[in-house]
Amino acid sequence: MRKPNPYQRRNFIKKSALGTSFLALSGSGFALSLESWMQQPNQAKKKIALIANIYRNSAHADVIATKIFAGIPMDEGMVTPEIQIVSVWIDQMGENDTGVRIAAMNGATVFPTIAEALTLGGNTLAVDAVIYIGEHGEYPNSRLGVKMYPRMNYLDQIFRVFDASNRSVPLFTDKHLAYSWLDSKWIYDRGRELNVPMMAGSSLPFAWRDPALEHPLGARITEAVAIGYASLDAYGFHVAEILQCMVERRRGGETGVQSVRGIRGAEVWNAVDSGEISLDLVEAGCNAIRNKHEGNMRELEKDPHAVIIRYKDGTKGAIMMLTGYVNSGWGYAALENGKTVATEFVLDHSMSYSHFSYLTLNIQKFFLSGKPTAPVERTLMTSGIMDAAIRSLVLDDGKTRDTPHLAITYSVADHEPIRPTAPRPTGQSIGPWPPKGYEFIIPDRFK
């Protein structure tokens, strides 16, 4: 079903590796690494296997893995990674591939199979942690219009190596657990069976917030709205992660989702007018977005999409996709203790894509400690919410879907994420990037 790849994997790897020289990270304009993050003398770095759908400039594999190879730009300066990618497997390669070249520059071996990347060509697990970046690439859409990324297929291969080795190591998987609930739940259950320390999800929970807003643990949150843009399939998941990373801090912790409803067009405005979605919170969340378009929301947004979420404890949640109004912005608003609070979730749109720096720092902390900085249950929940929302919209004509399978409970009390302290990207986060020798990753729009 996948489009044929005109490049044979082994020949492409060989050609790319032979044409690549090893280059040092020594460009001018880069600050020294922060002392608190420096690698300790004589301490071996954790060995990481990178599994990716594709690895080209600006794809998720690039904006995460290249930082592990070359250095992590953050507000305070460049951070020297404390982990080392030693093996790589890439599903789809073409003329725009940069991953093979970057791997060769850093002494990482590109293997022909996932199992060999995890065993370093041997018979048993030989790495300390695994990153699977299952985003981007040419894959078919489902009957619901959802891109069927083969996340379960490739995570199954990773789990099989863990199982055969009688040993599991920390595993980070990017974005959704899978494109469908059944696949997502299988991944979660299989990871638990094998005692795999797992972390997953979006970069948005680790991004800047302007103004700074984090609900105190145990806050009384009665209703919340998260706002974003583009399609429910590709970007709705990010908005779900914004919503969930905030409301999970409410009194009693996460209790699970009772029902989900996906709607679009006039039905969205009907839901707002009826109070099913709070207009006050929608306006507060949109007004927090600095670069939204000026004008009337309903006139500017021609095709709104929304997801209405009802939690088991009575909390009301909503996702609003308002591309024509908010431009490329992300917002959040909630009723906390009877008062409206709101913030913008801010991304870095420079060549650095440094919101992925903070995701990368959290991945690194997880790999070094073995303790996730965010619960994988959050992403199990958001994966299930978006699957239910799209099924409601496409199969049920916008009718409410009961979701007894999303009776997922968890607490974030013992999770300690790394997030920027400034309200918006500054310092090294906005450049210069990339380091000397990596100029070939710069896409044309940044030249």
Side-chain angles (χ1 to χ4, degrees), residues 355-396:
H355 45 288
F356 283 98
S357 294
Y358 289 90
L359 174 60
T360 302
L361 288 171
N362 280 274
I363 296 169
Q364 174 174 270
K365 182 178 179 181
F366 168 42
F367 286 173
L368 293 174
S369 68
K371 183 178 179 180
T373 65
V376 70
E377 289 80 8
R378 174 197 295 164
T379 304
L380 178 66
M381 179 83 83
T382 52
S383 298
I385 288 171
M386 296 315 300
D387 179 67
I390 291 170
R391 289 173 185 273
S392 166
L393 180 64
V394 176
L395 299 179
D396 302 338

Side-chain angles (χ1 to χ4, degrees), residues 203 206-208 346-349 353-360:
S203 61
F206 306 107
W208 295 264
V346 182
L347 302 189
D348 168 39
H349 296 289
Y353 292 104
S354 55
H355 45 288
F356 283 98
S357 294
Y358 289 90
L359 174 60
T360 302

Side-chain angles (χ1 to χ4, degrees), residues 223 261 270-278 308 310 316 400:
E223 187 169 3
R261 182 183 176 212
N270 291 340
V272 171
D273 291 338
S274 70
E276 194 173 7
I277 300 173
S278 167
I308 299 169
R310 295 294 178 261
K316 298 169 65 176
T400 297

Side-chain angles (χ1 to χ4, degrees), residues 240-293:
E241 290 259 304
I242 289 174
L243 178 69
Q244 194 59 36
C245 81
M246 301 298 275
V247 301
E248 68 192 10
R249 300 180 64 83
R250 67 190 184 276
R251 183 182 301 173
E254 184 51 62
T255 61
V257 167
Q258 178 175 305
S259 68
V260 173
R261 182 183 176 212
I263 53 177
R264 70 181 298 182
E267 280 300 308
V268 174
W269 304 131
N270 291 340
V272 171
D273 291 338
S274 70
E276 194 173 7
I277 300 173
S278 167
L279 175 61
D280 289 344
L281 292 183
V282 171
E283 290 181 338
C286 288
N287 288 337
I289 298 171
R290 180 180 293 184
N291 293 320
K292 71 176 175 61
H293 294 300

Side-chain angles (χ1 to χ4, degrees), residues 274-327:
S274 70
E276 194 173 7
I277 300 173
S278 167
L279 175 61
D280 289 344
L281 292 183
V282 171
E283 290 181 338
C286 288
N287 288 337
I289 298 171
R290 180 180 293 184
N291 293 320
K292 71 176 175 61
H293 294 300
E294 295 299 323
N296 183 280
M297 174 171 58
R298 300 193 191 202
E299 292 177 358
L300 290 169
E301 180 47 65
K302 304 301 184 184
D303 188 24
H305 288 65
V307 180
I308 299 169
I309 302 159
R310 295 294 178 261
Y311 291 88
K312 288 177 67 65
D313 63 0
T315 304
K316 298 169 65 176
I319 291 166
M320 294 283 285
M321 308 301 285
L322 302 172
T323 308
Y325 185 49
V326 301
N327 195 8

